[in-house]
Amino acid sequence: MNRISPLDITKKLERMEIELTKLNAKRSLSKAERRLELAELGNCLLLRDAAHPQSPYYNRVKGFGPGDIPLLSRILDHYGESPPCFDLTPDHMTADVSQALLKQRYMPAEQLAFMAAKPMKQEISDLPELQIERVTGESAETFISWIARSNGETLYSRDIVDRVKGYFHASHFHNYMLTIDGQPAAMGSLFLHGNEGYLANDYTFEEFRGRGCQTALISRRLSIAAELGLEYVYTDVEFGSVSHANMKKAGFHTAFINTFWMHG
């Protein structure tokens, strides 16, 4: 596979991840609507959700590097009393950056592997008991009930469902439901932006883990991406996780690993 340069793929992935974050804010099933705001300061992009200041996902600093250290106080002031998460790419995580964050009582808390693949038609399991369907307007509420179950909840309120259900069958956001013997087993999404895609929101219910559900869902989405003529497909996974291994088997390569610094 002809790979683009590491710097280019970092920029592309970062842009795609931001677009996905915007969509996730709009389709959020939280009781209070997300109020995601984006601002620029120096080389940084500041994501802030004033309605949910404790969420590290929606309150992040991206692009922080050595040249932005003099702006650190202003960046923190932007978030008021709720310190943001610093989402650092490898090229920005220098000794000076680390020291500056440590002085503000930040510590590295998590690593995510960002991965890329050139989509190709995949072989998909032909087991008769395994079925994959794309979410439609008719099945959107059923899919939302799956999400509720995956989060250990019962049902979301009518207001919340009506507010967001249209996003789950939008033309640029494909969601897939996998059943085994007619029972809810797994789900995953494919976000489309321009000529690229992003696999996200993979989840398998505990009783069906280890049965190839995510392998089948990954293959289906990569095949759809190939049919749509997408140039690249991206994803992010917890570094060293089962998902990381699954994506490697499916043809993804690790582009870079971000470190998330949290206030201690």
Side-chain angles (χ1 to χ4, degrees), residues 176-219:
Y176 295 92
M177 310 165 71
L178 185 151
T179 58
I180 293 180
D181 292 327
Q183 299 300 308
M187 51 191 170
S189 64
L190 170 62
F191 171 61
L192 308 174
H193 185 70
N195 64 346
E196 297 176 317
Y198 207 108
L199 302 192
N201 308 308
D202 294 4
Y203 185 85
T204 302
F205 292 105
E206 187 173 358
E207 60 268 35
F208 292 101
R209 290 172 186 169
R211 297 179 62 175
C213 295
Q214 285 305 324
T215 297
L217 278 170
I218 293 167
S219 297

Side-chain angles (χ1 to χ4, degrees), residues 1-4 6 9 13 113-118 232-235 244 247-248 250-256:
M1 179 176 71
N2 293 325
R3 297 180 182 176
I4 56 180
I9 206 166
L13 250 164
F114 286 81
M115 310 181 77
K118 206 154 181 68
Y232 270 90
V233 175
Y234 309 112
T235 193
H244 196 178
M247 291 300 179
K248 284 183 178 179
F252 282 82
H253 72 274
T254 301
F256 57 91

Side-chain angles (χ1 to χ4, degrees), residues 118-124 132-134 171-176 188-192 195-199 216-233:
K118 206 154 181 68
M120 294 183 292
K121 193 74 174 176
Q122 305 273 315
E123 289 187 13
I124 301 173
I132 300 175
E133 295 183 6
R134 181 180 165 190
S171 60
H172 65 300
F173 189 48
H174 297 192
N175 286 278
Y176 295 92
S189 64
L190 170 62
F191 171 61
L192 308 174
N195 64 346
E196 297 176 317
Y198 207 108
L199 302 192
L217 278 170
I218 293 167
S219 297
R220 172 62 62 85
R221 287 174 289 170
L222 285 176
S223 294
I224 296 295
E227 291 173 9
L228 293 172
L230 300 187
E231 183 179 355
Y232 270 90
V233 175

